[in-house]
Amino acid sequence: MDMSFSPEEMAFRDEVRKFIADNYPEELRAKGRGDMTKEEILMWHKILAKKGWAAPHWPVEYGGTGWTITQRYIWNEECARAETTPLLPFGLSMVGPVIFTYGNEEQKKRFLPGILAGEDWWCQGYSEPGAGSDLASLRTKAVREGDHYIINGSKTWTTLAQHADWMFCLAKTDPDAKAQDAISFFLIDMNTPGITVRPIITMDGGHEVNEVFLEDVKVPAENLIGEENKGWTYAKFLLGNERSGIAGVARSKKAIERLKNIAGSELVDGTPLLDQEDFATKIAEVEVDLTALEFTELRTLAAESKGQGPGPESSILKIKGTEIQQRITELTLEAVGNYGFVYAPHGHERTGNEYVPGPEYAAGQSQNYFNMRKTAIYGGSNEIQHNIIAKMVLGL
């Protein structure tokens, strides 16, 4: 695989770099997503939408950029380099591709423009209290009554549902069919009567996830995607896109760069931690794994550019990507030492008499470490991904 850039690609990189430098909002630079308002989270998305760069991976006819695989690679690299706020995946990377692949023309016209423009915030109604990794065992039910479905059930770990305008939701529509053949895929307006969003406050005091209860929620039949009882097919397609995106190669490269800077500043007996053989070896091992993952991701992108959707190979990206992310946060916490124990929900911002000891780079590292434990679970747990690879890739 030739990784050198042509003069045209170098010019594109310079264009992207300049656009980000000139247009990325200064007020977002010092904030993590947990400290942002809904408007701030969508701010960068809307700027990119006006430029026509919000969805590089979408087909051109639906608002995509028409970029080559190399241009998309450069775009991800430059966004990571500038540490821009990642765009919400629920609309752009998850339900959007489902709609333009399996939805009818009316659904495409109705929903895709709002997703592309950052006007509609989507959440994911998949996991349930008794159906997480074994998603096919979900119990939420949808019963057809005339030109509507009546949906009852509950979803959990619903990320940022407190801000959502719409939910894409899986529900059973055939009580007599086997699990995978009984599920349908619905688009639900979150303002519909009967929907209750209850926050799940995590141990760091954050409100990222929620429970969502659906009680006699009336959903128009026109909001059913594709065919009734074919939702498992659409759900797997969506999860393939989600797992590919979870790999986060470009962001992990930036995180390793930050880790090296920290390890170069922390001293052990007067010597930088980065020069300690044991710690340097740990970083090198992660870098080797990340390089291998990057080439795997590029092969996946190359297949997509030829019209092939992400297949079971995306499980490899999900497993290794999340393991690497977790390993980087673990090493970063190890590097900052005792200062990592400090609870600093707002970094080094000073409020009143509050004082956060230690260097600025140590603030929030423990929260980041614990928060990243979730990556091996969401999008289908890594244990399930191993089973998918064994069955679908290796044929075991």
Side-chain angles (χ1 to χ4, degrees), residues 157-389:
W157 311 121
T158 313
T159 303
L160 299 174
Q162 70 269 31
H163 298 316
D165 304 297
W166 288 84
M167 170 193 281
F168 53 93
C169 177
L170 298 180
K172 286 194 172 181
T173 42
D174 187 344
D176 299 320
K178 71 175 186 178
Q180 286 87 346
D181 296 332
I183 295 170
S184 296
F185 193 108
F186 295 95
L187 311 180
I188 303 177
D189 186 337
M190 290 293 284
N191 291 315
T192 307
I195 296 179
T196 301
V197 178
R198 182 181 299 166
I200 299 174
I201 304 302
T202 50
M203 65 185 298
D204 63 353
H207 178 194
E208 182 182 15
V209 290
N210 304 268
E211 295 176 287
V212 178
F213 299 92
L214 303 103
E215 300 178 47
D216 294 328
V217 176
K218 195 174 181 181
V219 177
E222 63 194 35
N223 287 8
L224 170 74
I225 290 291
E227 299 179 45
E228 191 176 277
N229 300 324
K230 297 294 184 181
W232 190 248
T233 297
Y234 317 141
K236 289 192 297 181
F237 172 83
L238 183 148
L239 286 170
N241 284 277
E242 180 184 9
R243 289 163 186 160
S244 298
I246 289 173
V249 171
R251 302 271 172 182
S252 288
K253 289 167 71 174
K254 184 66 178 181
I256 287 180
E257 178 185 323
R258 188 182 304 110
L259 168 60
K260 286 183 173 180
N261 289 334
I262 292 173
S265 300
E266 290 291 316
L267 301 180
V268 178
D269 297 328
T271 303
L273 180 61
L274 187 61
D275 294 337
Q276 302 286 323
E277 181 178 353
D278 180 61
F279 198 82
T281 298
K282 293 176 182 178
I283 294 179
E285 289 172 346
V286 176
E287 288 185 296
V288 169
D289 281 350
L290 185 58
T291 299
L293 181 66
E294 182 175 18
F295 280 92
T296 302
E297 182 180 56
L298 288 171
R299 285 194 293 270
T300 301
L301 289 173
E304 286 185 42
S305 69
K306 297 176 182 178
Q308 303 173 27
E313 296 82 0
S314 63
S315 293
I316 300 173
L317 297 177
K318 199 274 180 178
I319 293 171
K320 292 305 298 181
T322 56
E323 288 178 349
I324 289 169
Q325 291 162 23
Q326 291 183 340
R327 186 63 176 142
I328 293 171
T329 60
E330 180 181 332
L331 290 174
T332 304
L333 189 60
E334 181 179 341
V336 300
N338 291 338
Y339 290 120
F341 292 111
V342 177
Y343 175 64
H346 303 293
H348 273 255
E349 296 178 9
R350 301 295 194 264
T351 57
N353 294 324
E354 179 184 351
Y355 173 71
V356 181
E360 289 194 10
Y361 55 68
Q365 294 300 340
S366 59
Q367 291 97 305
N368 191 35
Y369 167 81
F370 285 114
N371 188 265
M372 291 299 285
R373 300 308 97 188
K374 69 188 179 187
T375 63
I377 301 172
Y378 67 48
S381 71
N382 284 8
E383 290 80 5
I384 294 296
Q385 304 315 309
H386 281 103
N387 290 342
I388 291 173
I389 293 169

